[in-house]
Amino acid sequence: MSPDGKASQSGSAAVEAQRVTKIFGGGDDQVVALDDVSVQIGENEFFTLLGPSGCGKTTLLRLIAGFEHPTDGRILLGGEDISPLPPFQRPVNTVFQNYALFPHMTVGGNIGFGLEMLNKSKQEVDDAVTEMLRLVRMEELRNRRTSQLSGGQQQRVALARALAPKPRVLLLDEPLSALDLKLRKEMQIELKRLQNETGITFVFVTHDQEEALTMSDRIAVMKEGAILQIGAPRDIYDHPSDRFVAHFIGETNFLEAELLERKNGAAKVKFPSGAVLPASLPDAPISPGKVSVVVRPEHSRIATTKKDAVLSGTLENVVYFGTDTHFHFRLNDGAQFIVRMQNARDSGDDFTPGQELGIAVEADAVQVLRD
Amino acid sequence: MSTSVPETGATAAQSAERRAVRTRWLLVSPAVVIIGCVGILPLSIILLYSLLEPAEYAGVVWTFSPEAWMGLVLERDIFDDTLGLSSAHLTIYTRSILQALFTTVLTLIFGFPTAYFIATRPAKERNIWLFLVTIPFWTNLLIRTFAIMLIVRDEGLVNHALINIGLIEKPLAILYTDVAVAIGLVYAYLPFMVLPLYASMEKLDFRLVEAGYDLYANRRRVLRRVIVPLVKPGVIAGCILVFIPSIGAYVTPRLLGGGKNMMLGNLIANQFGTSRNWPLGSAMALALMGLVMIALVIYVRNVTAAGQKSHG
Ligand SMILES: Nc1ncnc2c1ncn2[C@@H]1O[C@H](COP(=O)(O)OP(=O)(O)OP(=O)(O)O)[C@@H](O)[C@H]1O
Ligand SMILES: [Mg+2]
């Protein structure tokens, strides 16, 4: 298992999946939706499951919520095995992807539903609904039918409904995917605020890497039913341990290099050009020899001196992006390489396609991938 | 010169509209003819008959009389000609209504889980289950009712089994009782409950059911607070589809109830047969229809109200 920061150190995680496997169907058309997944999610953490469609994100959420049962493994909540509990006995609430608001109830009726089912008094339910409506800033719409709400408003009601019973864990299955870009940005901020104010653990599912990077405390990157890497957004972005993770998150350059024998701790890689640079290693054991490494485009620049140049190639294309410029290179060994540099005031178009140029790479920017 | 252009435009539009109207009438005319011939015309005749006097040997005498409508619930004493409540008719009405209500409730109790079961099967399997539900329709009701007679009669399957396992010693008298009629009605009308229930459950968004479970509602509460309100149109449609035909059922009470446990349908049929009172039969038929209409109006009101609640 990957080292995953604070959760593994603190005694009991808010939610924990222990070697969970989920297989749907049987015989020839069985689908392994989750394959031996282990993860610990800490109290009060904003934890994101990130991965492409069909990688098992929803399945993991549904296992935590209790709508599905693991084929193998256990789900723990606050250190206790909740496997035998049906969904209505788990202190976990879900914000469904399509919101799933009750069409036959008002906004207030929807938000109060959970507390009502917990047999709270009418007064308590009313007060909680009022508080929730204030929290999501929808006080005026209490008696509206849910069918008369806009997408963003429905989204807020769904959030308020799931938060009202003060669950230990809130599960959110791509809650923002149905919103347009502007609303989505607003709701991202809103969600962060709600999580801070309520102190509830959020398990958030998305396939949008930017959303994951901006919102999460930690991210688990998933692929085909397995978790490839868990870490803080910065870790995942700067030090992807896997080709898939590097590819899925942000733009990146893949290079071939040679991992040298380690001398007193620090790893070094040697590029075909002969340049040797320090490199970060993935958490998996890796032996010296041919390796793949990644360098983020913004961690490289066009070399000004011969000494700086780690790589060299032909400039093929220059794309201006306002705040920065992308330089597309064809390296001498045929690989593609993109350099991203911020546009300074005075930087002109000093570089023109066709030029032979050297590329410099920042210190600590080379990440070795496990293979 | 300048005014002629819009004028020709207008006349062209007018004649186009006239043509459209004519086409529309042409298209609806078959329906109008059929509804007129098989609906309005016979109904008018029945209405007319209900306002005439019965002839001695069937048929009607062409003199106006409200007697038939009064005869729905009243009867004239044979000796002194005074009017009194007709206990015979009232018994039959009460029995009909009770039987129909009982049938509706029982088909709902059996039909609801059945429809839910089918609606929660994988899409491929559902058609097979629906097909099984509709199999009884392939056989004539008369034959199916005879089959029930064979099952519930004194030497039938049910009594045989009960005696064999030692629960009873003498056969239970089921055939020719209200119980037999009730069994027959529930059996005959169960599909009419299952199908509309299924239709509305199939449209039910099961994520709402999950949302209910997620928000701490147990099975009973999810059923009461989420599923039932959402499939209410199907429940009402099923109840009406069962209640209406079972209140006027003819074959089932006739065969399974023997002569003693008559229902409205049999009573009406009798007026045109042995009782030779066509006007009374007509009045009863119309009264029953009126009842059905009222039920339908209530249904439509309910459904549109529910629709408005959830849509606009
Ligand atoms: N009830 C089910 N029966 C059979 N297969 C299922 C079922 N639910 C999910 N799967 C399969 O399990 C795999 C993982 O599905 P899951 O819904 O968890 O993916 P996801 O990561 O949420 O994808 P998306 O981003 O598209 O929502 C998929 O291959 C899917 O087809
Ligand atoms: Mg999903």
Side-chain angles (χ1 to χ4, degrees):
Chain A
M1 220 186 79
S2 324
D4 38 298
K6 59 184 174 186
S8 50
Q9 280 130 42
S10 71
S12 73
V15 198
E16 182 173 358
Q18 289 183 341
R19 314 209 51 169
V20 169
T21 296
K22 176 67 188 176
I23 298 173
F24 286 109
D28 287 340
D29 47 20
Q30 77 173 27
V31 180
V32 182
L34 289 176
D35 186 9
D36 197 8
V37 165
S38 294
V39 60
Q40 290 186 316
I41 299 167
E43 292 292 350
N44 197 6
E45 189 172 21
F46 197 117
F47 192 88
T48 297
L49 300 171
L50 173 66
S53 188
C55 69
K57 308 179 296 285
T58 298
T59 304
L60 186 51
L61 278 201
R62 291 176 60 81
L63 285 167
I64 298 171
F67 298 130
E68 308 281 358
H69 292 282
T71 313
D72 203 5
R74 300 198 304 165
I75 306 274
L76 308 184
L77 197 80
E80 277 173 55
D81 189 355
I82 52 166
S83 303
L85 298 184
F88 54 87
Q89 285 173 4
R90 299 186 180 196
V92 169
N93 287 142
T94 308
V95 177
F96 293 86
Q97 182 164 5
N98 66 334
Y99 315 139
L101 298 177
F102 301 125
H104 56 295
M105 296 178 199
T106 59
V107 167
N110 267 280
I111 298 176
F113 188 84
L115 289 167
E116 222 181 298
M117 294 299 113
L118 288 171
N119 300 319
K120 296 281 189 270
S121 73
K122 189 161 177 345
Q123 188 60 47
E124 264 178 286
V125 175
D126 276 353
D127 292 349
V129 170
T130 310
E131 189 200 325
M132 281 301 141
L133 284 169
R134 209 191 54 240
L135 198 65
V136 296
R137 307 197 176 111
M138 285 194 42
E139 288 101 324
E140 341 68 75
L141 299 178
R142 184 177 191 136
N143 295 316
R144 278 275 186 95
R145 291 261 149 203
T146 54
S147 52
Q148 301 167 323
L149 301 177
S150 71
Q153 289 168 333
Q154 291 187 25
Q155 166 68 71
R156 275 164 221 259
V157 176
L159 261 171
R161 183 178 72 173
L163 284 171
K166 303 224 181 322
R168 293 200 48 178
V169 178
L170 188 72
L171 308 174
L172 305 103
D173 193 355
E174 305 199 27
L176 308 182
S177 63
L179 305 178
D180 61 49
L181 188 66
K182 184 165 167 291
L183 206 51
R184 193 152 76 219
K185 296 276 179 228
E186 274 174 39
M187 284 307 295
Q188 285 177 2
I189 296 165
E190 187 92 358
L191 268 180
K192 266 312 256 191
R193 178 180 68 86
L194 283 174
Q195 201 245 340
N196 281 334
E197 280 178 31
T198 56
I200 291 172
T201 304
F202 277 34
V203 183
F204 182 86
V205 162
T206 182
H207 57 243
D208 178 340
Q209 45 110 356
E210 192 188 314
E211 195 166 279
L213 290 174
T214 50
M215 299 177 71
S216 323
D217 293 327
R218 282 191 311 150
I219 299 172
V221 183
M222 296 180 68
K223 180 197 174 192
E224 290 167 12
I227 294 183
L228 297 181
Q229 189 174 2
I230 301 177
R234 256 217 112 78
D235 276 352
I236 300 248
Y237 185 83
D238 285 347
H239 303 292
S241 61
D242 184 279
R243 181 174 285 268
F244 178 84
V245 177
H247 203 79
F248 194 71
I249 296 181
E251 222 176 350
T252 197
N253 297 304
F254 292 96
L255 297 168
E256 298 303 317
E258 191 192 341
L259 182 62
L260 301 178
E261 282 304 340
R262 282 213 226 177
K263 281 174 213 138
N264 51 39
K268 286 200 152 83
V269 289
K270 186 173 168 196
F271 288 95
S273 65
V276 173
L277 284 182
S280 315
L281 292 179
D283 49 40
I286 192 154
S287 47
K290 251 180 101 61
V291 289
S292 296
V293 302
V294 288
V295 177
R296 295 283 179 195
E298 64 274 25
H299 295 161
S300 59
R301 62 194 155 75
I302 295 175
T304 42
T305 64
K306 195 101 187 152
K307 201 168 104 315
D308 280 354
V310 176
L311 307 159
S312 62
T314 319
L315 183 59
E316 288 193 322
N317 215 343
V318 180
V319 186
Y320 177 73
F321 273 95
T323 52
D324 46 34
T325 303
H326 293 194
F327 300 90
H328 294 248
F329 281 93
R330 175 74 56 188
L331 298 184
N332 293 342
D333 60 358
Q336 284 237 6
F337 195 98
I338 299 173
V339 172
R340 184 152 102 205
M341 295 206 298
Q342 281 209 348
N343 293 328
R345 268 288 182 88
D346 53 353
S347 75
D349 323 72
D350 320 351
F351 310 107
T352 47
Q355 266 181 296
E356 276 279 328
L357 292 166
I359 300 167
V361 174
E362 283 174 19
D364 202 27
V366 180
Q367 170 69 35
V368 179
L369 300 178
R370 64 165 181 247
D371 264 321
Chain B
M1 183 66 204
S2 61
T3 50
S4 70
V5 176
E7 253 174 33
T8 47
T11 42
Q14 271 169 8
S15 70
E17 189 168 328
R18 241 177 284 135
R19 235 177 300 128
V21 169
R22 219 178 309 135
T23 322
R24 237 176 285 152
W25 272 108
L26 220 62
L27 287 174
V28 295
S29 56
V32 172
V33 170
I34 289 175
I35 291 171
C37 287
V38 306
I40 297 172
L41 189 65
L43 272 178
S44 313
I45 296 173
I46 293 175
L47 180 63
L48 185 64
Y49 277 18
S50 75
L51 295 167
L52 297 175
E53 276 183 8
E56 204 165 333
Y57 302 103
V60 288
V61 181
W62 290 83
T63 42
F64 169 80
S65 157
E67 195 85 350
W69 285 96
M70 284 155 53
L72 287 181
V73 286
L74 303 174
E75 74 185 341
R76 263 182 214 289
D77 195 287
I78 318 172
F79 299 108
D80 56 13
D81 222 27
T82 51
L83 280 174
L85 282 178
S86 163
S87 63
H89 286 182
L90 288 179
T91 311
I92 292 174
Y93 297 156
T94 315
R95 177 184 298 124
S96 299
I97 291 172
L98 288 180
Q99 282 283 23
L101 280 178
F102 182 78
T103 307
T104 310
V105 171
L106 230 69
T107 49
L108 185 59
I109 291 172
F110 288 128
F112 198 96
T114 311
Y116 190 82
F117 172 82
I118 300 175
T120 48
R121 289 314 92 190
K124 281 181 295 186
E125 263 177 53
R126 283 185 220 158
N127 285 332
I128 300 171
W129 289 106
L130 282 178
F131 173 75
L132 291 177
V133 168
T134 53
I135 277 186
F137 290 137
W138 295 16
T139 315
N140 187 291
L141 178 61
L142 205 59
I143 295 167
R144 284 185 281 143
T145 311
F146 273 119
I148 292 188
M149 288 177 77
L150 291 180
I151 293 170
V152 300
R153 75 197 164 119
D154 288 1
E155 294 86 39
L157 207 65
V158 173
N159 276 314
H160 225 78
L162 289 177
I163 290 172
N164 274 348
I165 58 171
L167 265 177
I168 52 170
E169 280 172 6
K170 273 191 294 180
L172 292 173
I174 304 174
L175 189 57
Y176 306 136
T177 62
D178 282 334
V179 176
V181 178
I183 293 174
L185 287 175
V186 169
Y187 165 73
Y189 294 119
L190 189 56
F192 292 94
M193 183 60 86
V194 172
L195 294 177
L197 275 177
Y198 166 77
S200 61
M201 281 182 193
E202 191 219 76
K203 277 182 273 161
L204 178 69
D205 184 352
F206 279 91
R207 286 169 295 195
L208 294 176
V209 176
E210 285 192 345
Y213 284 129
D214 191 62
L215 292 161
Y216 312 105
N218 57 24
R219 265 171 240 287
R220 273 236 324 270
R221 282 168 143 184
V222 165
L223 181 69
R224 226 188 56 224
R225 297 292 306 272
V226 181
I227 300 174
V228 169
L230 290 173
V231 301
K232 199 166 142 207
V235 173
I236 296 173
C239 289
I240 284 173
L241 282 182
V242 170
F243 187 82
I244 290 172
S246 55
I247 197 171
Y250 176 76
V251 172
T252 312
R254 180 69 203 275
L255 293 182
L256 293 171
K260 301 170 295 181
N261 302 290
M262 245 197 255
M263 284 174 62
L264 245 171
N266 312 101
L267 185 63
I268 294 172
N270 268 0
Q271 304 312 315
F272 292 92
T274 49
S275 298
R276 297 202 194 98
N277 193 343
W278 287 23
L280 182 56
S282 303
M284 285 174 172
L286 286 176
L288 180 58
M289 229 182 88
L291 203 74
V292 167
M293 294 274 265
I294 292 170
L296 282 177
V297 167
I298 293 173
Y299 166 66
V300 171
R301 284 249 178 92
N302 245 303
V303 170
T304 41
Q308 271 163 0
K309 265 190 227 161
S310 58
H311 296 303

